[in-house]
């Protein structure tokens, strides 16, 4: 009994100080952590304030640069001083990028010239090789915004090595902006899914640069469905009417969406000769594509289309019926007169009539 | 000639102030719509350059305020991002006189301002 009491006492006496000690350690560590957070936050705020101050100093001479093409005498020392440190260069680059976004024409050229002449592109290229993904994106955007033609080789290397499809897509867009021929050819070669967003960005760049010389559709269709879709969209964008055979062959593609876009392409390009092929294809298409064929036939100038659309208006499928009726409502009396007289109906085989 | 510039992007506002002042215009800059409204109630300029997207009171509301509340015909140039065609049309419907899309060429903006000032001079004569 005595021994048991002794053991309990030792245990209790040992445990209680242990918990007190632990609590004390936590309190000290907690206080230290809070102090660290407060100090680093204060330092960060101070750093941000300093950056803001230096940025504000940059703005007058960068504004002068944008409008006049040169930095006035009174700012030259400050500019030189800023450019002599890495931090200063970063700040100039940031402000330069901001100001570049507002302007085009002469002002934009002055800013781009300054970026190249003062080798600020080196900062952008360094970021391109950073391990952080967001830094790489910043680098690509800077190169693109500054239209730095010297970066094409670095971008090609980056595209070759980079694993992230998002970053590769961005680099491809930048490459196309700098050198559209190189960019488009690289896109064709690249094993990557070309998203709608990506395609839109590339077309936007080509449109801004008034570039209508596009690699032939056959090159795009060979690669992948998304490449074929992009080739198709580029064909519409460039308005090239000399590749209709290649375009027609896409009507046999296994991908529903691609066939849908092909039908739309014929409508946009107003390629009347495709009407009968579309009527024949109708039978094998899903409802969505059937509706698109009706909308396209409505637009194409082929008088026999009307008879077909009228047949579609009697379809059992309510969606097809709705689209066909809408199409008929939009046709002018003159179009209807020509269509009514068109001797097309006998050309429809019984199977085709059933399909409608 | 007195010009009011309403733009919420500080760097662009400073750039415009710098450039227009250098051309000899008397420039007043405002970074939010409410500030702009207050100033307009006090005094009308000879020309207004305004962005569409502004805090508190947007460019469209500002144009409407000038045309409908102040009943002023002071020329208004809208300076806004491209791709806002619908908004730009609305601005014209409300009474804007001209539109310059961002990014813009400062020289082009100056030409438009000069054209406007010429119109103002003729109407005064």
């Amino acid at each position: 009994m005595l021994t048991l009491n002794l053991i309990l006492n030792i245990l209790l006496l040992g445990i209680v100080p242990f918990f007190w000690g632990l609590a004390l350690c936590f309190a000290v560590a907690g206080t230290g952590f809070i102090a660290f957070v407060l100090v680093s936050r204060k330092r960060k705020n101070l750093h941000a304030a300093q950056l803001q101050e230096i940025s504000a100093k940059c703005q007058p001479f960068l504004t002068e640069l944008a409008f006049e093409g040169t930095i006035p005498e009174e700012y030259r020392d400050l500019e030189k001083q800023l450019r002599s440190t890495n931090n200063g260069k970063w700040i100039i680059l940031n402000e330069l990028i901001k100001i570049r976004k507002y302007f085009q024409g002469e002002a934009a050229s002055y800013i781009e010239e300054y970026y190249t002449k003062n080798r600020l592109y080196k900062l952008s290229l360094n970021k391109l090789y950073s391990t952080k993904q967001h830094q790489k994106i910043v680098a690509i955007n800077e190169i693109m915004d500054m239209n730095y033609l010297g970066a094409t080789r670095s971008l090609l290397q980056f595209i070759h090595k980079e694993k992230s499809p998002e970053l590769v897509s961005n680099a491809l867009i930048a490459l196309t902006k700098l050198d559209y021929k190189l960019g488009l050819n690289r896109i064709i070669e690249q094993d990557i899914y070309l998203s709608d967003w990506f395609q839109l960005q590339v077309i936007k760049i080509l449109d801004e640069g008034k570039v209508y010389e596009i690699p032939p559709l056959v090159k795009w269709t060979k690669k992948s469905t998304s490449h074929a879709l992009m080739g198709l969209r580029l064909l519409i964008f460039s308005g090239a009417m000399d590749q209709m055979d290649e375009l027609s062959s896409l009507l046999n593609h296994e991908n529903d969406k691609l066939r849908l876009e092909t039908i739309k392409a014929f409508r946009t390009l107003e390629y009347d000769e495709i009407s009968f092929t579309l009527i024949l294809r109708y039978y094998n298409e899903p409802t969505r594509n059937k509706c698109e064929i009706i909308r396209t036939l409505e637009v194409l100038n082929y008088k026999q289309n009307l008879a077909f659309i009228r047949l579609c208006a009697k379809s059992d499928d309510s969606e097809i019926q709705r689209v066909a009726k809408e199409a008929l409502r939009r046709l002018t009396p003159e179009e209807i007169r020509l269509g009514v007289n068109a001797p097309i109906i006998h050309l429809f085989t019984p199977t085709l009539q059933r399909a409608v | 000639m007195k010009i009011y510039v309403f733009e919420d992007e500080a760097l662009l506002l400073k750039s415009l102030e710098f450039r227009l002042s250098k051309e000899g215009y008397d420039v007043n800059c405002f970074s939010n719509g409410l500030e702009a409204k207050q100033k307009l109630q006090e005094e009308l300029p000879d020309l207004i350059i305004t962005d569409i997207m502004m805090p508190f009171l947007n460019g469209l509301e500002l144009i409407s305020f000038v045309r409908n509340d102040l009943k002023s015909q002071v020329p208004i140039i809208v300076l806004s991002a491209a791709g806002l065609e619908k908004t730009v049309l609305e601005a014209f419907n409300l009474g804007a006189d001209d539109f310059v899309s961002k990014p813009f060429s400062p020289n082009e903006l100056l030409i438009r301002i000069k054209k406007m000032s010429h119109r103002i001079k003729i109407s005064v004569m």
Side-chain angles (χ1 to χ4, degrees):
Chain A
M1 196 62 188
L2 191 72
T3 326
L4 191 69
N5 266 344
L6 194 69
I7 293 167
L8 277 172
N9 274 340
I10 291 168
L11 277 177
L12 282 171
L13 282 172
I15 287 168
V16 172
F18 171 74
F19 277 113
W20 273 111
L22 199 67
L24 194 69
C25 281
F26 272 121
V28 170
T31 316
F33 178 72
I34 291 168
F36 173 75
V37 169
L38 288 175
V39 168
S40 55
R41 187 185 284 180
K42 196 170 179 186
R43 191 181 286 177
K44 205 175 163 186
N45 286 344
L46 200 69
H47 186 60
Q50 279 172 341
L51 284 183
Q52 214 170 357
E53 196 186 326
I54 302 171
S55 297
K57 278 185 189 171
C58 284
Q59 287 172 1
F61 73 74
L62 290 180
T63 306
E64 289 256 12
L65 172 80
F67 291 122
E68 305 294 330
T70 53
I71 293 170
E73 200 58 49
E74 70 256 39
Y75 293 114
R76 282 206 186 141
D77 283 343
L78 172 69
E79 186 254 354
K80 214 171 173 183
Q81 192 193 334
L82 281 173
R83 251 190 319 114
S84 65
T85 63
N86 259 346
N87 256 350
K89 276 188 200 166
W90 284 108
I91 293 167
I92 293 181
L93 178 61
N94 275 341
E95 293 302 309
L96 215 56
I97 295 286
K98 269 194 239 167
I99 207 167
R100 168 67 186 86
K101 283 185 180 154
Y102 303 135
F103 303 127
Q104 60 177 10
E106 218 172 31
S109 333
Y110 290 145
I111 295 166
E112 287 168 10
E113 214 176 281
Y114 180 88
Y115 174 80
T116 312
K117 209 171 150 191
N118 292 292
R119 299 177 176 206
L120 293 176
Y121 57 81
K122 282 192 172 178
L123 298 179
S124 306
L125 291 179
N126 283 344
K127 279 185 257 181
L128 197 60
Y129 302 120
S130 157
T131 49
K132 291 172 187 160
Q133 192 145 330
H134 74 275
Q135 289 284 2
K136 293 180 186 176
I137 288 276
V138 170
I140 294 168
N141 287 337
E142 282 177 5
I143 290 166
M144 191 161 62
D145 288 345
M146 286 298 174
N147 214 15
Y148 176 55
L149 298 176
T152 49
R153 214 171 138 190
S154 304
L155 281 174
L156 278 171
Q157 281 172 353
F158 178 83
I159 291 164
H160 184 66
K161 283 183 187 165
E162 182 57 49
K163 297 276 182 288
S164 153
E166 288 81 20
L167 288 174
V168 171
S169 295
N170 276 285
L172 284 168
I173 292 168
L175 188 66
T176 310
K177 172 138 193 240
L178 300 182
D179 183 336
Y180 75 90
K181 257 188 188 166
L182 191 66
L184 289 175
N185 284 323
R186 186 66 222 184
I187 294 170
I188 291 173
E189 285 167 25
Q190 196 69 31
D191 286 315
I192 190 173
Y193 171 73
L194 309 177
S195 66
D196 286 347
W197 174 84
F198 173 86
Q199 296 181 24
L200 188 71
Q201 296 305 312
V202 172
I203 292 173
K204 224 168 110 183
I205 286 172
L206 297 176
D207 188 37
E208 279 165 10
K210 311 231 178 303
V211 176
Y212 302 105
E213 202 184 310
I214 309 292
L217 185 60
V218 65
K219 281 193 174 183
W220 298 91
T221 52
K222 272 180 189 165
K223 191 76 184 176
S224 71
T225 307
S226 73
H227 279 79
L229 196 58
M230 178 154 187
L232 184 70
R233 285 173 175 161
L234 287 173
L235 182 81
I236 298 171
F237 164 74
S238 66
M241 297 295 283
D242 56 345
Q243 297 176 52
M244 291 302 124
D245 287 346
E246 187 59 34
L247 188 61
S248 305
S249 72
L250 287 182
L251 287 173
N252 299 317
H253 199 279
E254 58 183 15
N255 186 285
D256 287 357
K257 192 184 174 192
L258 185 62
R259 289 200 309 280
L260 181 89
E261 293 295 329
T262 309
I263 298 163
K264 281 186 191 171
F266 282 120
R267 184 170 70 225
T268 313
L269 296 169
E270 295 184 18
Y271 185 62
D272 298 333
E273 285 92 283
I274 203 67
S275 286
F276 199 67
T277 312
L278 286 181
I279 291 172
L280 292 175
R281 283 270 352 151
Y282 183 91
Y283 176 68
N284 300 312
E285 292 295 339
T287 303
R288 201 171 156 209
N289 291 14
K290 279 181 179 163
C291 293
E292 214 52 57
I293 289 179
I294 296 169
R295 289 190 191 105
T296 304
L297 290 176
E298 176 205 334
V299 171
L300 298 184
N301 183 21
Y302 195 68
K303 57 187 178 185
Q304 290 144 334
N305 292 349
L306 181 71
F308 183 77
I309 298 173
R310 282 200 161 148
L311 265 180
C312 295
K314 289 174 191 161
S315 167
D316 291 337
D317 187 319
S318 60
E319 182 60 14
I320 293 173
Q321 206 184 90
R322 185 184 64 80
V323 172
K325 281 180 179 169
E326 273 176 14
L328 288 172
R329 266 199 297 275
R330 279 191 294 263
L331 288 170
T332 63
E334 176 61 10
E335 284 165 330
I336 289 175
R337 191 182 62 76
L338 287 170
V340 168
N341 296 332
I344 180 79
I345 204 75
H346 70 278
L347 290 175
F348 297 155
T349 61
T351 327
L352 193 62
Q353 287 197 36
R354 270 202 306 278
V356 170
Chain B
M1 183 171 145
K2 186 169 264 185
I3 301 178
Y4 285 178
V5 185
F6 306 125
E7 169 64 61
D8 63 334
E9 288 169 63
L11 184 56
L12 180 59
L13 195 62
K14 270 189 188 169
S15 307
L16 286 171
E17 186 181 14
F18 166 83
R19 185 67 173 123
L20 298 175
S21 306
K22 212 164 185 180
E23 286 294 316
Y25 296 112
D26 179 5
V27 188
N28 281 277
C29 294
F30 308 92
S31 56
N32 76 63
L34 283 182
E35 207 184 322
K37 196 174 166 182
Q38 207 175 350
K39 184 70 187 171
L40 284 166
Q41 274 168 327
E42 287 168 20
E43 190 190 9
L44 277 169
D46 299 306
L47 176 75
I48 293 171
I49 298 174
T50 182
D51 186 11
I52 296 270
M53 302 294 187
M54 278 200 300
F56 307 121
L57 186 84
N58 69 37
L60 296 178
E61 288 167 322
L62 193 88
I63 298 169
S64 165
F65 174 71
V66 172
R67 295 288 184 253
N68 302 325
D69 297 1
L70 299 178
K71 309 268 180 231
S72 165
Q73 288 309 308
V74 54
I76 300 173
I77 298 179
V78 175
L79 185 67
S80 194
L84 293 171
E85 284 78 11
K86 250 188 174 173
T87 322
V88 172
L89 281 179
E90 210 180 327
F92 276 112
N93 282 334
L94 285 169
D97 297 273
D98 204 353
F99 167 71
V100 177
S101 87
K102 284 187 215 165
F104 64 97
S105 155
N107 290 338
E108 188 192 327
L109 179 68
L110 277 177
I111 291 169
R112 286 174 192 247
I113 292 172
K114 277 177 189 157
K115 221 172 116 186
M116 285 284 178
S117 60
H118 186 65
R119 253 177 52 189
I120 296 164
K121 274 177 201 161
I122 289 174
S123 65
V124 167
M125 280 163 74

